[in-house]
Amino acid sequence: LLVYANRWPEMAELVLVSGGSGGIGAATCRHLATKGVTPIVGYASGQDRAKSIAEETGGTALALDLSDNDVIDHAVEWLASSEHPLTTCILAASPPPVIGPFGKIDDEDMMRQWKVNVFGPRRLVAGLVKSCFRKRKQGTVIAVLTEAMGISNGMASPGMGAYVIAKYGLMGVLATANAEYPWLTATTISPGFTETEMLTAFDERFLEITRNQQPDGRFTSPEEVARNIVSLVSTIS
């Protein structure tokens, strides 16, 4: 298990952020630290970035590849051993979408999305409930979904099939956990296009047109999404 920390964090409240080395995840870790919360920077492959964010925020970088069951289990074990309680898990990790028509969704892409957005989060949340949350009968899970699911207007964005399908699966994970553990708060946030590396999946001409269609001519920043996530954490707490 790869853990990067010079010592246990001194702050009393721990919040786990999967995808903590990426755009929205990293911004969330930084914003949590400004609120006096210690971020656990979960990462799959961005170890150096996670270490840097951990140093910057006074947190801890923790290997958390949501496509690897052993890594998930070891991360849960490590979190359960902390002398400080884990209060919240923010699920911000996701592979970028592969753009293409519904009829040509690649099986490998579908499985990759399903592992990171559904299988892995289900295993992680189940482990955290058993080892971290249940003893206090209290815990919060927040999943970063996407406006592309079309929840607000009933129309999913075309061309993002495997990504959107998997995000619906993630929503189902939280709904089921919430139903079985009444004391668990499980909720979601659905940002629109956000200025992160994930945008490289799209054609630049499409992005330019879409930016111009936004009310202020720009996409949302990771910091804006992070503020909304942390505000949600504060409201629940």
Side-chain angles (χ1 to χ4, degrees):
L1 175 63
L2 297 176
V3 179
Y4 177 79
N6 294 325
R7 50 184 167 72
W8 277 110
E10 293 180 355
M11 301 180 201
E13 183 179 352
L14 306 181
V15 173
L16 172 65
V17 182
S18 76
S21 64
I24 291 175
T28 300
C29 289
R30 293 186 177 105
H31 200 59
L32 285 168
T34 68
K35 300 299 182 181
V37 178
T38 299
I40 306 299
V41 187
Y43 68 90
S45 58
Q47 183 179 8
D48 290 341
R49 292 195 303 273
K51 286 181 178 181
S52 177
I53 294 164
E55 290 177 343
E56 177 185 343
T57 61
T60 300
L62 176 66
L64 186 59
D65 183 346
L66 291 177
S67 67
D68 189 318
N69 287 348
D70 289 339
V71 172
I72 294 170
D73 293 345
H74 290 155
V76 170
E77 182 180 353
W78 185 84
L79 290 163
S81 71
S82 170
E83 60 188 81
H84 303 303
L86 179 77
T87 63
T88 303
C89 172
I90 298 169
L91 297 167
S94 180
V98 173
I99 309 304
F102 176 80
K104 294 185 178 181
I105 293 175
D106 182 76
D107 288 345
E108 289 186 8
D109 178 41
M110 187 72 255
M111 184 54 67
R112 179 168 54 252
Q113 291 286 350
W114 204 251
K115 282 182 177 179
V116 177
N117 278 301
V118 185
F119 288 171
R122 201 286 316 167
R123 191 178 188 92
L124 175 63
V125 171
L128 294 179
V129 165
K130 179 180 178 180
S131 301
C132 300
F133 296 154
R134 187 157 55 189
K135 63 183 73 174
R136 300 172 63 235
K137 289 292 190 292
Q138 187 177 358
T140 299
V141 181
I142 299 173
V144 179
L145 301 181
T146 173
E147 194 176 80
M149 295 166 68
I151 295 173
S152 61
N153 60 16
M155 181 68 69
S157 298
M160 301 169 65
Y163 178 73
V164 169
I165 291 168
K167 288 296 186 179
Y168 268 103
L170 178 55
M171 186 168 68
V173 169
L174 266 66
T176 304
N178 215 16
E180 296 197 16
Y181 306 105
W183 45 264
L184 180 70
T185 301
T187 190
T188 64
I189 185 169
S190 298
F193 282 98
T194 305
E195 291 289 355
T196 69
E197 292 181 5
M198 193 172 287
L199 292 185
T200 59
F202 298 88
D203 184 274
E204 186 56 43
R205 292 167 297 179
F206 166 80
L207 293 177
E208 183 178 358
I209 293 170
T210 307
R211 278 194 189 93
N212 291 334
Q213 292 173 342
Q214 305 306 305
D216 52 2
R218 67 178 184 88
F219 291 146
T220 304
S221 71
E223 290 72 26
E224 288 172 305
V225 179
R227 284 196 294 271
N228 289 337
I229 292 171
V230 176
S231 176
L232 188 56
V233 172
S234 301
T235 301
I236 295 170
S237 301

